[in-house]
Amino acid sequence: MTALVSTDAALALGDDALVLSHRLGEWAGHAPVLEEEVALANIALDLLGQARILLSQAGDEDELAYLREERSFRNLQLVEQPNGDFAHTIARQLYFSTYQHLLYGELAALEGEFTGLAAKAVKEVDYHRDHAELWTLRLGDGTEESHRRMQQACDALWRFTGEMFQPVPGLDIDWAGLDARWTASVTTILSRATLTVPEGPRTGAWAAGAGRQGLHTESFGRMLAEMQHLHRSHPGASW
Amino acid sequence: MTGVTATATAAAETGASHQAVFDAAVAADERIEPRDWMPEEYRSSLVRQMAQHAHSEIIGMQPEANWITRAPSLRRKAILMAKVQDEAGHGLYLYSAAETLGTGRDELLDKLHSGRQKYSSIFNYPTLTWADVGAIGWLVDGAAITNQVPLCRCSYGPYARAMVRICKEESFHQRQGFELLLALSQGTPEQHAMAQDAVNRWWWPSLMMFGPPDDASAHSAQSMAWKIKRHSNDDLRQRFVDIAVGQAEALGLTLPDPALRWNEERGHHDFGEIDWTEFWEVLKGNGPCNEQRITQRRRAHEEGAWVRDAAAAYATKQQAQHANGEATA
């Protein structure tokens, strides 16, 4: 890689972290148990920290977060999905943190512009993955109701998982290999949790790869409206 | 006998009653620990105060969390998220400390949800603008610290130790709130106005955080005799006003009290009369957000029941498997 930072890659990874952090921030004061107030906020903060570093590599973090419109965001559709119930939040965390852990693991081993960030973030992400795995086991192999909800959440979010392995310009990664390792890891966890690996399509639909091109799902615009409103109401102000 | 040290041990050796041992320990500024004998009223009074304190941390997450998704910069958003996370952590410490007195978190939460235990009246006010986040940090956390620093010397050991840790984090939050308001005050005219408006709305409710005036405070005298409390409500309130006046000047903001002025003779600031009718109304449940706050808390708890049930069921299965594994090993 050259010394030039790949803006596409920094935005893709940065937007993933920014948007998921925002969704997790919506849980504050609503978690099922106090320990999860702490845990979800903790994960949200880690992700926000990653987002700030990545967006700063691509430009001014606040301009990028607050002044871009929906069509310019490069995050995966998976991370923008509404929180739903706790099972949906955990399924989203399981899918994404497993992906992020594998991806950052590879980036940390490569000599490139993201080596430093990935080496630091991979430790945080390992904790996120661990948290998601534990809750997947508890919910999947807990009560009948929690099993039903967890299965439903895994099924509902499955169609957004193929997009994670669409190549990102500027990232020199074996995407098919990453996909295979992700599938193996998620399959193991779901089966330990007595859950069935969903069977629906993961790629091929219009959705696969769309978020990376600025094509998002409907709830995303509303999320941005809330996130950006105050900043946009005071052009040029500092906070 | 844990915790009750030299003086009380001496009293115990002379065959003094439990009450005399306890009184001697309190008189000698020694710490009472969970396994020590204590009067039932001391125990129940502490449970009430610590539970209310823990509940305040948990309900207090709501007015600030209200702005997490709208924070105007990523730096401010990170600070606010960290603060709300700290509050959940403080709630956890305080519930644990209360549990050393023979109660349980579930029981305390149940009392909160059914309105049998209270939380600080301040959290029944709404956060209407971003500046409110700064005003809460500066004034509400400032008042809380003024109240809580003396609690670091409270006679009950687990409470005192929890307060040492909590006060450190609270001071940090307070500085951040001040800094947020300073940025607004020195920003655009709109930002300055937003900061002033927030201070106007939060000033009097912050003064109410110190509780009713000394002559109307039901628990004060006994709490002070037991050294749970170290200073009267009015003394702490005065201390807070004296500190806040200088800080408001540094911020370039005014405090909404025409009667506020330095009194050379007393060496303190005089200030106007608090609207005690409003205070008692909020305490009775008739404040702007009482209904909303408790409804959200109840809903989070009720909607989370299936998650807690799942965790318990999973833990039981794991234990059973573990036991089977040991039996066959």
Short mmCIF file of all heavy atoms in Angstrom, two decimals, chain A residues 21-22 29-30 32 34-35 37-38 42 45 48 52 62 66 135 137-138 141-142 145-146 149 226-227 230-231 237-239, chain B residues 58 61 69-78 81-82 85 92 95 105 130 184 191 194 296 304 306-308 310 314 317:
data_model
loop_
_atom_site.label_atom_id
_atom_site.label_comp_id
_atom_site.label_asym_id
_atom_site.label_seq_id
_atom_site.Cartn_x
_atom_site.Cartn_y
_atom_site.Cartn_z
N SER A 21 -22.49 2.36 16.86
CA SER A 21 -22.34 3.03 18.16
C SER A 21 -23.60 3.84 18.48
O SER A 21 -24.10 3.83 19.61
CB SER A 21 -21.12 3.94 18.11
OG SER A 21 -21.15 4.84 19.18
N HIS A 22 -24.11 4.52 17.48
CA HIS A 22 -25.32 5.32 17.67
C HIS A 22 -26.50 4.43 18.07
O HIS A 22 -27.23 4.74 19.01
CB HIS A 22 -25.65 6.09 16.39
CG HIS A 22 -26.78 7.04 16.57
ND1 HIS A 22 -26.61 8.37 16.86
CD2 HIS A 22 -28.13 6.84 16.51
CE1 HIS A 22 -27.79 8.95 16.98
NE2 HIS A 22 -28.73 8.05 16.76
N GLY A 29 -30.50 3.59 29.35
CA GLY A 29 -31.70 3.76 30.17
C GLY A 29 -32.80 2.77 29.85
O GLY A 29 -33.85 2.80 30.47
N HIS A 30 -32.58 1.88 28.88
CA HIS A 30 -33.62 0.93 28.48
C HIS A 30 -33.19 -0.53 28.60
O HIS A 30 -33.93 -1.42 28.20
CB HIS A 30 -34.03 1.19 27.03
CG HIS A 30 -34.61 2.56 26.79
ND1 HIS A 30 -35.94 2.85 26.95
CD2 HIS A 30 -34.01 3.74 26.44
CE1 HIS A 30 -36.15 4.13 26.67
NE2 HIS A 30 -35.00 4.69 26.38
N PRO A 32 -32.19 -4.37 29.80
CA PRO A 32 -32.95 -5.30 30.65
C PRO A 32 -32.37 -5.46 32.05
O PRO A 32 -33.07 -5.90 32.97
CB PRO A 32 -32.88 -6.62 29.89
CG PRO A 32 -31.76 -6.49 28.93
CD PRO A 32 -31.60 -5.04 28.64
N LEU A 34 -29.03 -3.79 34.81
CA LEU A 34 -28.04 -2.73 34.97
C LEU A 34 -26.69 -3.06 34.35
O LEU A 34 -26.04 -2.22 33.76
CB LEU A 34 -27.82 -2.45 36.45
CG LEU A 34 -28.73 -1.43 37.10
CD1 LEU A 34 -28.38 -1.31 38.57
CD2 LEU A 34 -28.56 -0.09 36.40
N GLU A 35 -26.28 -4.30 34.52
CA GLU A 35 -24.98 -4.71 33.97
C GLU A 35 -24.93 -4.50 32.46
O GLU A 35 -23.87 -4.22 31.90
CB GLU A 35 -24.69 -6.18 34.29
CG GLU A 35 -24.27 -6.45 35.73
CD GLU A 35 -25.45 -6.50 36.72
OE1 GLU A 35 -26.60 -6.22 36.32
OE2 GLU A 35 -25.21 -6.80 37.90
N GLU A 37 -26.63 -2.10 30.89
CA GLU A 37 -26.49 -0.66 30.67
C GLU A 37 -25.00 -0.35 30.52
O GLU A 37 -24.58 0.39 29.64
CB GLU A 37 -27.05 0.16 31.84
CG GLU A 37 -28.55 0.07 32.08
CD GLU A 37 -29.35 0.89 31.08
OE1 GLU A 37 -28.77 1.53 30.20
OE2 GLU A 37 -30.59 0.88 31.20
N VAL A 38 -24.22 -0.92 31.43
CA VAL A 38 -22.78 -0.68 31.43
C VAL A 38 -22.15 -1.30 30.18
O VAL A 38 -21.38 -0.65 29.46
CB VAL A 38 -22.12 -1.24 32.70
CG1 VAL A 38 -20.62 -1.02 32.67
CG2 VAL A 38 -22.72 -0.59 33.95
N ASN A 42 -20.47 0.60 27.04
CA ASN A 42 -19.05 0.36 26.88
C ASN A 42 -18.70 0.01 25.43
O ASN A 42 -17.76 0.56 24.84
CB ASN A 42 -18.71 -0.83 27.80
CG ASN A 42 -17.26 -0.84 28.20
OD1 ASN A 42 -16.42 -0.29 27.49
ND2 ASN A 42 -16.96 -1.45 29.32
N LEU A 45 -19.10 3.01 23.22
CA LEU A 45 -17.97 3.94 23.35
C LEU A 45 -16.75 3.45 22.60
O LEU A 45 -16.05 4.25 21.97
CB LEU A 45 -17.61 4.06 24.83
CG LEU A 45 -18.17 5.24 25.57
CD1 LEU A 45 -17.83 5.12 27.05
CD2 LEU A 45 -17.59 6.53 25.02
N LEU A 48 -17.41 4.15 19.01
CA LEU A 48 -17.33 5.58 18.72
C LEU A 48 -15.86 6.02 18.65
O LEU A 48 -15.48 6.82 17.80
CB LEU A 48 -18.10 6.38 19.77
CG LEU A 48 -18.22 7.88 19.56
CD1 LEU A 48 -18.77 8.22 18.19
CD2 LEU A 48 -19.10 8.50 20.64
N ARG A 52 -14.10 7.68 15.39
CA ARG A 52 -13.44 8.98 15.39
C ARG A 52 -12.06 8.91 14.76
O ARG A 52 -11.66 9.81 14.01
CB ARG A 52 -13.36 9.53 16.83
CG ARG A 52 -14.75 9.81 17.41
CD ARG A 52 -14.67 10.40 18.78
NE ARG A 52 -14.03 11.71 18.75
CZ ARG A 52 -13.62 12.36 19.83
NH1 ARG A 52 -13.76 11.81 21.02
NH2 ARG A 52 -13.07 13.55 19.71
N ASP A 62 -16.33 15.56 12.56
CA ASP A 62 -17.68 16.10 12.76
C ASP A 62 -18.35 16.46 11.42
O ASP A 62 -19.55 16.24 11.24
CB ASP A 62 -17.65 17.30 13.70
CG ASP A 62 -17.48 16.85 15.16
OD1 ASP A 62 -17.76 15.68 15.46
OD2 ASP A 62 -17.05 17.67 15.99
N TYR A 66 -21.77 14.66 10.66
CA TYR A 66 -22.96 15.48 10.82
C TYR A 66 -23.44 16.18 9.54
O TYR A 66 -24.56 16.66 9.48
CB TYR A 66 -22.74 16.54 11.90
CG TYR A 66 -22.64 15.94 13.28
CD1 TYR A 66 -21.40 15.72 13.89
CD2 TYR A 66 -23.79 15.55 13.96
CE1 TYR A 66 -21.32 15.14 15.15
CE2 TYR A 66 -23.71 14.97 15.22
CZ TYR A 66 -22.47 14.77 15.81
OH TYR A 66 -22.39 14.20 17.06
N TRP A 135 -24.28 -13.95 25.21
CA TRP A 135 -25.72 -13.67 25.21
C TRP A 135 -26.45 -14.54 24.19
O TRP A 135 -27.60 -14.93 24.41
CB TRP A 135 -26.02 -12.19 24.99
CG TRP A 135 -26.02 -11.44 26.30
CD1 TRP A 135 -25.11 -10.51 26.71
CD2 TRP A 135 -26.97 -11.58 27.38
NE1 TRP A 135 -25.44 -10.06 27.98
CE2 TRP A 135 -26.57 -10.70 28.40
CE3 TRP A 135 -28.11 -12.36 27.58
CZ2 TRP A 135 -27.27 -10.57 29.61
CZ3 TRP A 135 -28.82 -12.23 28.78
CH2 TRP A 135 -28.40 -11.35 29.77
N LEU A 137 -25.69 -17.58 23.54
CA LEU A 137 -25.85 -18.86 24.25
C LEU A 137 -26.98 -18.76 25.28
O LEU A 137 -27.83 -19.64 25.38
CB LEU A 137 -24.55 -19.28 24.93
CG LEU A 137 -23.37 -19.59 24.00
CD1 LEU A 137 -22.09 -19.83 24.80
CD2 LEU A 137 -23.69 -20.81 23.12
N ARG A 138 -26.97 -17.70 26.05
CA ARG A 138 -27.98 -17.55 27.11
C ARG A 138 -29.39 -17.47 26.52
O ARG A 138 -30.32 -18.07 27.05
CB ARG A 138 -27.72 -16.28 27.92
CG ARG A 138 -26.54 -16.38 28.85
CD ARG A 138 -26.45 -15.08 29.66
NE ARG A 138 -25.19 -15.03 30.38
CZ ARG A 138 -24.32 -14.03 30.28
NH1 ARG A 138 -24.56 -13.00 29.50
NH2 ARG A 138 -23.21 -14.05 30.97
N ASP A 141 -30.20 -20.86 24.39
CA ASP A 141 -30.35 -22.04 25.25
C ASP A 141 -30.90 -21.65 26.62
O ASP A 141 -30.58 -22.26 27.63
CB ASP A 141 -28.98 -22.72 25.39
CG ASP A 141 -29.10 -24.13 25.97
OD1 ASP A 141 -30.23 -24.68 25.98
OD2 ASP A 141 -28.08 -24.66 26.44
N GLY A 142 -31.74 -20.63 26.66
CA GLY A 142 -32.34 -20.18 27.92
C GLY A 142 -33.73 -20.74 28.09
O GLY A 142 -33.90 -21.92 28.37
N GLU A 145 -39.17 -18.99 25.32
CA GLU A 145 -39.42 -17.68 24.71
C GLU A 145 -38.13 -17.05 24.19
O GLU A 145 -38.10 -16.51 23.08
CB GLU A 145 -40.09 -16.73 25.71
CG GLU A 145 -40.46 -15.42 25.01
CD GLU A 145 -40.98 -14.33 25.95
OE1 GLU A 145 -41.00 -14.56 27.17
OE2 GLU A 145 -41.35 -13.27 25.42
N SER A 146 -37.06 -17.13 24.99
CA SER A 146 -35.82 -16.49 24.56
C SER A 146 -35.25 -17.21 23.33
O SER A 146 -34.70 -16.58 22.43
CB SER A 146 -34.80 -16.43 25.70
OG SER A 146 -34.29 -17.71 26.01
N ARG A 149 -37.26 -15.98 20.34
CA ARG A 149 -36.90 -14.61 19.96
C ARG A 149 -35.52 -14.56 19.30
O ARG A 149 -35.30 -13.81 18.35
CB ARG A 149 -36.89 -13.71 21.19
CG ARG A 149 -38.28 -13.33 21.71
CD ARG A 149 -38.07 -12.37 22.87
NE ARG A 149 -39.24 -12.03 23.61
CZ ARG A 149 -39.74 -10.78 23.69
NH1 ARG A 149 -39.14 -9.80 23.02
NH2 ARG A 149 -40.78 -10.51 24.44
N GLU A 226 -32.14 12.57 13.46
CA GLU A 226 -32.00 12.78 14.90
C GLU A 226 -30.54 13.10 15.25
O GLU A 226 -30.26 14.03 16.01
CB GLU A 226 -32.46 11.52 15.64
CG GLU A 226 -32.38 11.67 17.15
CD GLU A 226 -33.06 10.53 17.89
OE1 GLU A 226 -33.82 9.76 17.25
OE2 GLU A 226 -32.81 10.40 19.10
N MET A 227 -29.63 12.34 14.69
CA MET A 227 -28.21 12.51 15.02
C MET A 227 -27.69 13.88 14.60
O MET A 227 -26.91 14.51 15.30
CB MET A 227 -27.42 11.40 14.32
CG MET A 227 -25.95 11.40 14.63
SD MET A 227 -25.14 9.94 13.94
CE MET A 227 -24.28 10.66 12.57
N LEU A 230 -29.16 18.87 15.69
CA LEU A 230 -28.63 19.98 16.48
C LEU A 230 -27.40 20.60 15.80
O LEU A 230 -27.28 21.83 15.70
CB LEU A 230 -28.28 19.48 17.88
CG LEU A 230 -27.66 20.51 18.82
CD1 LEU A 230 -28.57 21.71 19.03
CD2 LEU A 230 -27.34 19.86 20.16
N HIS A 231 -26.51 19.74 15.34
CA HIS A 231 -25.29 20.23 14.68
C HIS A 231 -25.65 21.09 13.47
O HIS A 231 -25.11 22.17 13.28
CB HIS A 231 -24.42 19.04 14.27
CG HIS A 231 -23.09 19.44 13.72
ND1 HIS A 231 -21.94 19.49 14.48
CD2 HIS A 231 -22.72 19.84 12.47
CE1 HIS A 231 -20.93 19.89 13.73
NE2 HIS A 231 -21.38 20.11 12.50
N ALA A 237 -20.90 26.55 14.25
CA ALA A 237 -20.66 26.67 15.70
C ALA A 237 -19.68 25.60 16.16
O ALA A 237 -19.58 24.54 15.56
CB ALA A 237 -21.98 26.54 16.46
N SER A 238 -18.94 25.89 17.24
CA SER A 238 -18.16 24.79 17.84
C SER A 238 -18.78 24.44 19.19
O SER A 238 -19.47 25.25 19.81
CB SER A 238 -16.68 25.15 17.97
OG SER A 238 -16.51 26.51 18.22
N TRP A 239 -18.53 23.22 19.59
CA TRP A 239 -19.24 22.67 20.75
C TRP A 239 -18.29 22.26 21.85
O TRP A 239 -18.60 21.56 22.75
CB TRP A 239 -20.11 21.48 20.31
CG TRP A 239 -21.10 21.92 19.30
CD1 TRP A 239 -20.95 21.88 17.93
CD2 TRP A 239 -22.40 22.50 19.54
NE1 TRP A 239 -22.07 22.40 17.32
CE2 TRP A 239 -22.97 22.77 18.28
CE3 TRP A 239 -23.12 22.81 20.71
CZ2 TRP A 239 -24.23 23.36 18.15
CZ3 TRP A 239 -24.38 23.37 20.57
CH2 TRP A 239 -24.92 23.65 19.31
N ILE B 58 -29.80 5.66 38.76
CA ILE B 58 -30.44 4.92 37.66
C ILE B 58 -31.46 5.79 36.93
O ILE B 58 -31.48 5.88 35.71
CB ILE B 58 -31.13 3.66 38.23
CG1 ILE B 58 -30.11 2.77 38.93
CG2 ILE B 58 -31.85 2.89 37.14
CD1 ILE B 58 -28.86 2.56 38.14
N MET B 61 -29.97 8.60 34.80
CA MET B 61 -29.45 8.32 33.46
C MET B 61 -30.40 8.88 32.39
O MET B 61 -29.98 9.25 31.30
CB MET B 61 -29.32 6.81 33.24
CG MET B 61 -28.26 6.15 34.11
SD MET B 61 -28.41 4.34 34.07
CE MET B 61 -27.92 4.01 32.39
N THR B 69 -28.28 10.63 21.53
CA THR B 69 -28.43 10.48 20.08
C THR B 69 -28.42 11.82 19.35
O THR B 69 -28.46 11.85 18.13
CB THR B 69 -29.76 9.76 19.76
OG1 THR B 69 -30.82 10.46 20.40
CG2 THR B 69 -29.72 8.31 20.23
N ARG B 70 -28.42 12.93 20.10
CA ARG B 70 -28.44 14.24 19.45
C ARG B 70 -27.20 15.08 19.79
O ARG B 70 -27.15 16.26 19.41
CB ARG B 70 -29.71 14.99 19.87
CG ARG B 70 -30.98 14.36 19.31
CD ARG B 70 -32.22 15.09 19.80
NE ARG B 70 -32.47 14.81 21.21
CZ ARG B 70 -33.37 15.46 21.94
NH1 ARG B 70 -34.07 16.43 21.40
NH2 ARG B 70 -33.56 15.13 23.21
N ALA B 71 -26.26 14.52 20.50
CA ALA B 71 -25.05 15.28 20.88
C ALA B 71 -24.43 15.90 19.63
O ALA B 71 -24.33 15.25 18.60
CB ALA B 71 -24.06 14.36 21.58
N PRO B 72 -24.01 17.18 19.73
CA PRO B 72 -23.65 17.92 18.51
C PRO B 72 -22.23 17.68 17.98
O PRO B 72 -21.90 18.19 16.92
CB PRO B 72 -23.80 19.38 18.95
CG PRO B 72 -23.53 19.34 20.42
CD PRO B 72 -24.05 18.03 20.91
N SER B 73 -21.39 16.96 18.71
CA SER B 73 -20.08 16.60 18.16
C SER B 73 -19.74 15.21 18.68
O SER B 73 -20.29 14.76 19.69
CB SER B 73 -19.00 17.61 18.58
OG SER B 73 -18.68 17.43 19.95
N LEU B 74 -18.84 14.54 17.97
CA LEU B 74 -18.50 13.18 18.38
C LEU B 74 -17.78 13.17 19.72
O LEU B 74 -17.95 12.25 20.53
CB LEU B 74 -17.68 12.48 17.29
CG LEU B 74 -18.39 12.29 15.95
CD1 LEU B 74 -17.54 11.45 15.00
CD2 LEU B 74 -19.77 11.66 16.12
N ARG B 75 -17.00 14.21 19.96
CA ARG B 75 -16.30 14.29 21.26
C ARG B 75 -17.31 14.40 22.40
O ARG B 75 -17.24 13.69 23.39
CB ARG B 75 -15.36 15.49 21.25
CG ARG B 75 -14.73 15.77 22.59
CD ARG B 75 -13.64 16.84 22.51
NE ARG B 75 -13.31 17.25 23.87
CZ ARG B 75 -13.84 18.31 24.48
NH1 ARG B 75 -14.70 19.09 23.83
NH2 ARG B 75 -13.51 18.61 25.71
N ARG B 76 -18.29 15.30 22.24
CA ARG B 76 -19.31 15.46 23.29
C ARG B 76 -20.15 14.20 23.45
O ARG B 76 -20.59 13.86 24.55
CB ARG B 76 -20.24 16.63 22.96
CG ARG B 76 -19.59 17.99 22.99
CD ARG B 76 -19.22 18.41 24.40
NE ARG B 76 -18.54 19.70 24.38
CZ ARG B 76 -17.81 20.17 25.38
NH1 ARG B 76 -17.67 19.48 26.49
NH2 ARG B 76 -17.22 21.33 25.28
N LYS B 77 -20.39 13.54 22.35
CA LYS B 77 -21.18 12.31 22.41
C LYS B 77 -20.45 11.25 23.22
O LYS B 77 -21.04 10.56 24.06
CB LYS B 77 -21.44 11.82 20.99
CG LYS B 77 -22.38 10.65 20.86
CD LYS B 77 -22.65 10.43 19.36
CE LYS B 77 -23.64 9.32 19.11
NZ LYS B 77 -24.16 9.39 17.73
N ALA B 78 -19.15 11.14 23.00
CA ALA B 78 -18.34 10.15 23.74
C ALA B 78 -18.34 10.48 25.23
O ALA B 78 -18.50 9.60 26.08
CB ALA B 78 -16.91 10.13 23.19
N MET B 81 -21.81 9.61 26.68
CA MET B 81 -22.00 8.17 26.81
C MET B 81 -21.22 7.61 28.00
O MET B 81 -21.71 6.78 28.76
CB MET B 81 -21.48 7.45 25.56
CG MET B 81 -22.48 7.31 24.45
SD MET B 81 -21.67 6.29 23.18
CE MET B 81 -22.89 6.38 21.89
N ALA B 82 -19.99 8.11 28.16
CA ALA B 82 -19.15 7.63 29.26
C ALA B 82 -19.78 8.01 30.59
O ALA B 82 -19.77 7.24 31.56
CB ALA B 82 -17.74 8.21 29.15
N GLN B 85 -22.78 5.84 31.34
CA GLN B 85 -22.26 4.52 31.73
C GLN B 85 -21.76 4.54 33.18
O GLN B 85 -22.03 3.62 33.95
CB GLN B 85 -21.11 4.13 30.78
CG GLN B 85 -20.53 2.77 31.09
CD GLN B 85 -19.24 2.52 30.34
OE1 GLN B 85 -18.65 3.43 29.74
NE2 GLN B 85 -18.77 1.29 30.37
N LEU B 92 -24.81 0.42 40.45
CA LEU B 92 -24.38 -0.93 40.83
C LEU B 92 -23.61 -0.96 42.14
O LEU B 92 -23.87 -1.79 43.00
CB LEU B 92 -23.52 -1.55 39.71
CG LEU B 92 -24.27 -2.11 38.51
CD1 LEU B 92 -23.30 -2.50 37.40
CD2 LEU B 92 -25.10 -3.33 38.91
N TYR B 95 -26.16 -0.29 45.01
CA TYR B 95 -27.02 -1.43 45.32
C TYR B 95 -26.20 -2.50 46.07
O TYR B 95 -26.69 -3.11 47.01
CB TYR B 95 -27.65 -2.02 44.05
CG TYR B 95 -28.79 -1.18 43.49
CD1 TYR B 95 -28.75 -0.70 42.19
CD2 TYR B 95 -29.91 -0.88 44.27
CE1 TYR B 95 -29.79 0.08 41.67
CE2 TYR B 95 -30.94 -0.09 43.77
CZ TYR B 95 -30.88 0.38 42.46
OH TYR B 95 -31.91 1.16 41.97
N ARG B 105 -31.06 -6.28 45.54
CA ARG B 105 -31.31 -5.34 44.46
C ARG B 105 -32.73 -5.48 43.93
O ARG B 105 -33.41 -4.49 43.66
CB ARG B 105 -30.31 -5.55 43.32
CG ARG B 105 -30.25 -4.36 42.39
CD ARG B 105 -29.80 -4.69 40.98
NE ARG B 105 -28.49 -5.27 40.90
CZ ARG B 105 -27.90 -5.61 39.75
NH1 ARG B 105 -28.52 -5.40 38.60
NH2 ARG B 105 -26.72 -6.18 39.73
N TRP B 130 -29.60 21.06 24.47
CA TRP B 130 -28.27 20.48 24.69
C TRP B 130 -27.59 21.12 25.90
O TRP B 130 -26.87 20.45 26.65
CB TRP B 130 -27.42 20.66 23.42
CG TRP B 130 -25.99 20.32 23.65
CD1 TRP B 130 -24.93 21.17 23.68
CD2 TRP B 130 -25.46 19.00 23.91
NE1 TRP B 130 -23.77 20.48 23.94
CE2 TRP B 130 -24.06 19.15 24.08
CE3 TRP B 130 -26.02 17.73 24.03
CZ2 TRP B 130 -23.23 18.07 24.36
CZ3 TRP B 130 -25.19 16.65 24.30
CH2 TRP B 130 -23.81 16.83 24.47
N LEU B 184 -20.34 26.85 25.22
CA LEU B 184 -21.57 27.47 24.73
C LEU B 184 -21.58 28.97 25.05
O LEU B 184 -21.94 29.80 24.22
CB LEU B 184 -22.80 26.80 25.35
CG LEU B 184 -23.06 25.35 24.97
CD1 LEU B 184 -24.31 24.84 25.69
CD2 LEU B 184 -23.21 25.18 23.47
N GLN B 191 -25.89 30.08 21.08
CA GLN B 191 -25.36 29.11 22.05
C GLN B 191 -25.31 29.72 23.45
O GLN B 191 -25.64 29.06 24.44
CB GLN B 191 -23.95 28.63 21.62
CG GLN B 191 -23.97 27.68 20.43
CD GLN B 191 -22.55 27.30 20.02
OE1 GLN B 191 -21.71 28.18 19.80
NE2 GLN B 191 -22.27 26.02 19.93
N MET B 194 -28.68 29.75 24.88
CA MET B 194 -29.08 28.39 25.25
C MET B 194 -28.49 28.03 26.62
O MET B 194 -29.17 27.46 27.49
CB MET B 194 -28.54 27.42 24.18
CG MET B 194 -29.08 26.03 24.23
SD MET B 194 -28.10 24.89 23.19
CE MET B 194 -28.75 25.26 21.59
N GLN B 296 -40.79 4.80 32.25
CA GLN B 296 -39.69 4.27 31.42
C GLN B 296 -38.90 3.21 32.19
O GLN B 296 -38.51 2.19 31.64
CB GLN B 296 -38.75 5.38 30.95
CG GLN B 296 -37.62 4.81 30.09
CD GLN B 296 -36.64 5.84 29.58
OE1 GLN B 296 -37.02 6.95 29.26
NE2 GLN B 296 -35.37 5.45 29.50
N GLY B 304 -37.49 -6.33 29.95
CA GLY B 304 -36.26 -7.10 30.09
C GLY B 304 -36.44 -8.40 30.86
O GLY B 304 -35.49 -9.18 31.00
N TRP B 306 -37.88 -11.24 30.19
CA TRP B 306 -37.58 -12.49 29.48
C TRP B 306 -36.07 -12.69 29.31
O TRP B 306 -35.60 -13.83 29.27
CB TRP B 306 -38.30 -12.51 28.12
CG TRP B 306 -37.77 -11.53 27.12
CD1 TRP B 306 -38.14 -10.23 26.95
CD2 TRP B 306 -36.75 -11.79 26.14
NE1 TRP B 306 -37.42 -9.65 25.94
CE2 TRP B 306 -36.56 -10.58 25.42
CE3 TRP B 306 -35.98 -12.90 25.80
CZ2 TRP B 306 -35.63 -10.46 24.38
CZ3 TRP B 306 -35.07 -12.78 24.78
CH2 TRP B 306 -34.89 -11.58 24.07
N VAL B 307 -35.32 -11.58 29.26
CA VAL B 307 -33.86 -11.69 29.13
C VAL B 307 -33.26 -12.20 30.45
O VAL B 307 -32.42 -13.11 30.46
CB VAL B 307 -33.24 -10.32 28.77
CG1 VAL B 307 -31.72 -10.40 28.72
CG2 VAL B 307 -33.80 -9.82 27.44
N ARG B 308 -33.74 -11.64 31.56
CA ARG B 308 -33.24 -12.09 32.86
C ARG B 308 -33.64 -13.54 33.12
O ARG B 308 -32.85 -14.33 33.64
CB ARG B 308 -33.75 -11.16 33.98
CG ARG B 308 -33.28 -9.71 33.84
CD ARG B 308 -33.59 -8.87 35.08
NE ARG B 308 -35.02 -8.78 35.35
CZ ARG B 308 -35.84 -7.89 34.77
NH1 ARG B 308 -35.37 -7.02 33.89
NH2 ARG B 308 -37.12 -7.87 35.07
N ALA B 310 -34.07 -15.79 30.83
CA ALA B 310 -33.22 -16.62 29.97
C ALA B 310 -31.85 -16.83 30.61
O ALA B 310 -31.33 -17.95 30.64
CB ALA B 310 -33.07 -15.96 28.59
N TYR B 314 -30.41 -20.43 31.69
CA TYR B 314 -29.15 -20.90 31.10
C TYR B 314 -28.15 -21.25 32.20
O TYR B 314 -27.49 -22.29 32.15
CB TYR B 314 -28.59 -19.84 30.17
CG TYR B 314 -27.28 -20.23 29.52
CD1 TYR B 314 -27.25 -21.16 28.48
CD2 TYR B 314 -26.07 -19.68 29.95
CE1 TYR B 314 -26.06 -21.53 27.88
CE2 TYR B 314 -24.87 -20.05 29.36
CZ TYR B 314 -24.86 -20.97 28.32
OH TYR B 314 -23.67 -21.34 27.75
N LYS B 317 -29.01 -24.54 33.76
CA LYS B 317 -28.61 -25.66 32.89
C LYS B 317 -27.10 -25.90 32.95
O LYS B 317 -26.64 -27.03 33.01
CB LYS B 317 -29.00 -25.37 31.43
CG LYS B 317 -30.48 -25.47 31.15
CD LYS B 317 -30.74 -25.24 29.66
CE LYS B 317 -32.20 -24.92 29.41
NZ LYS B 317 -32.46 -24.59 28.00
#
